[in-house]
C-alpha cells in the first residue's frame, strides 16, 4: 500500500477556518490520503467535499480529554455519523483507566463501538500514551479490543507528547493482527512515518502529511 493511504490528513486546531478545512480537503483528494480528520463541527462540510473521492471523513469524539460522559460521546458520534463521518476517533476516560476502574473504561468504549458499528463505521480508540505507564498502555489496548474497537491510537496530539515507536510496538504486540494501530501526534517526516509503520502502525495521524509523502 502506498504511504499516502496510511495517513489521516489532520486539521484539529481550535482556530481552523473554513478556508483551511477546504484546503485540507483539496490536499487529501490530490494526494489520496486515507481520510481527512477534523473536529465534529466540520464533518458535514468535509463529507460533502469528499463525496466524489475515496478519501474518508474522520472525526474525533470526547476530544481531547476523554472526560465527558459516555452518553455525550455516543450522542456526539451519532450526530457525526449522521453528518457523514466514516471513522470516529474517541478518547478513553483516562482517569478511570488510571484508577483501575476497568469496567467503566470498558463500558465507555463498548457503548461507542456498538453505536459506531450499528452504522457500519470504524472506531479508533485514543489511549493517550504520554499519560500512561507500560501496564496501563497494555490494559487500555486490551480493554479496547474486548469492547470491540477497530483500532487503538496513541495520542490526541494535544497532551504532553505524541506517538513513540516503542509505544506503537507495544500496542501492536498487545492487539496482535486483530486491530489496527494508529500512530498520531508528532509524526513530521517520511522517516518517522516509516519507523511507525515498521513498528506496527497501520495508520498515521499527521498534519505534516504532504511533507511526509513528498520527501
Amino acid at each position: 500500500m502506498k504511504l499516502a493511504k496510511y495517513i489521516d490528513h489532520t486539521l484539529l486546531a481550535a482556530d481552523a477556518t473554513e478556508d483551511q478545512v477546504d484546503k485540507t480537503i483539496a490536499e487529501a483528494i490530490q494526494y489520496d490520503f486515507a481520510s481527512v480528520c477534523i473536529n465534529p463541527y466540520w464533518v458535514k462540510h468535509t463529507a460533502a467535499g469528499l463525496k466524489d473521492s475515496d478519501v474518508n471523513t474522520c472525526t474525533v469524539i470526547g476530544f481531547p480529554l476523554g472526560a465527558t460522559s459516555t452518553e455525550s460521546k455516543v450522542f456526539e458520534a451519532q450526530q457525526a455519523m449522521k453528518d457523514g463521518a466514516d471513522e470516529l476517533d474517541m478518547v478513553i476516560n483516562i482517569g478511570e483507566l488510571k484508577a483501575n476502574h476497568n469496567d467503566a473504561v470498558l463500558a465507555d468504549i463498548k457503548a461507542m463501538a456498538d453505536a459506531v458499528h450499528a452504522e457500519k463505521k470504524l472506531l479508533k480508540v485514543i489511549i493517550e500514551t504520554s499519560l500512561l505507564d507500560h501496564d496501563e498502555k497494555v490494559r487500555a489496548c486490551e480493554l479496547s479490543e474486548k469492547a470491540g474497537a477497530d483500532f487503538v491510537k496513541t495520542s490526541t496530539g494535544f497532551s504532553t507528547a505524541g506517538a513513540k515507536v516503542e509505544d506503537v510496538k507495544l500496542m501492536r504486540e498487545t492487539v496482535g493482527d486483530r486491530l489496527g494501530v494508529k500512530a498520531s501526534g508528532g509524526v513530521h517526516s517520511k522517516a518517522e512515518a516509516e519507523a511507525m509503520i515498521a513498528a506496527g502502525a497501520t495508520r498515521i495521524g499527521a498534519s505534516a502529511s504532504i511533507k511526509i509523502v513528498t520527501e
Side-chain angles (χ1 to χ4, degrees):
M1 189 160 74
K2 64 177 184 174
L3 187 56
K5 273 301 182 204
Y6 279 91
I7 298 174
D8 291 341
H9 190 36
T10 302
L11 177 63
L12 293 169
D15 58 353
T17 63
E18 187 175 322
D19 286 348
Q20 289 170 318
V21 173
D22 286 338
K23 181 170 179 281
T24 303
I25 293 167
E27 291 166 349
I29 293 169
Q30 182 186 345
Y31 291 96
D32 196 26
F33 292 122
S35 81
V36 170
C37 187
I38 32 69
N39 282 304
Y41 179 82
W42 295 108
V43 167
K44 193 179 280 187
H45 184 81
T46 301
L50 292 171
K51 74 176 187 300
D52 296 324
S53 76
D54 71 342
V55 179
N56 280 348
T57 300
C58 173
T59 195
V60 289
I61 303 294
F63 195 85
L65 303 177
T68 47
S69 70
T70 300
E71 293 78 4
S72 298
K73 289 177 182 174
V74 169
F75 180 85
E76 191 175 22
Q78 287 169 333
Q79 182 62 52
M81 291 186 289
K82 216 176 279 177
D83 288 345
D86 304 297
E87 305 184 10
L88 300 98
D89 294 17
M90 73 169 286
V91 188
I92 63 163
N93 191 314
I94 302 159
E96 288 289 61
L97 182 86
K98 294 190 80 71
N100 275 303
H101 295 163
N102 296 335
D103 289 350
V105 178
L106 181 69
D108 190 52
I109 303 168
K110 188 178 186 309
M112 277 289 296
D114 290 348
V116 170
H117 293 153
E119 299 296 329
K120 298 183 168 46
K121 308 299 186 186
L122 194 76
L123 178 67
K124 308 192 202 94
V125 176
I126 305 170
I127 66 172
E128 202 68 279
T129 46
S130 63
L131 302 181
L132 308 180
D133 65 25
H134 176 280
D135 292 350
E136 289 165 345
K137 291 168 194 172
V138 170
R139 192 154 39 89
C141 290
E142 289 171 345
L143 290 166
S144 298
E145 181 175 0
K146 192 176 173 188
D150 302 296
F151 272 75
V152 284
K153 173 178 168 181
T154 59
S155 327
T156 59
F158 285 74
S159 189
T160 54
K164 291 188 168 67
V165 166
E166 59 267 29
D167 288 335
V168 171
K169 193 166 177 291
L170 176 65
M171 291 162 74
R172 175 52 69 202
E173 284 166 2
T174 306
V175 302
D177 58 4
R178 300 175 299 278
L179 272 68
V181 175
K182 179 173 170 180
S184 198
V187 183
H188 296 126
S189 68
K190 186 180 181 185
E192 286 172 351
E194 287 173 342
M196 295 297 178
I197 292 165
T202 45
R203 198 72 75 86
I204 306 284
S207 50
S209 324
I210 293 170
K211 180 175 180 282
I212 290 168
V213 296
T214 55
E215 269 182 354

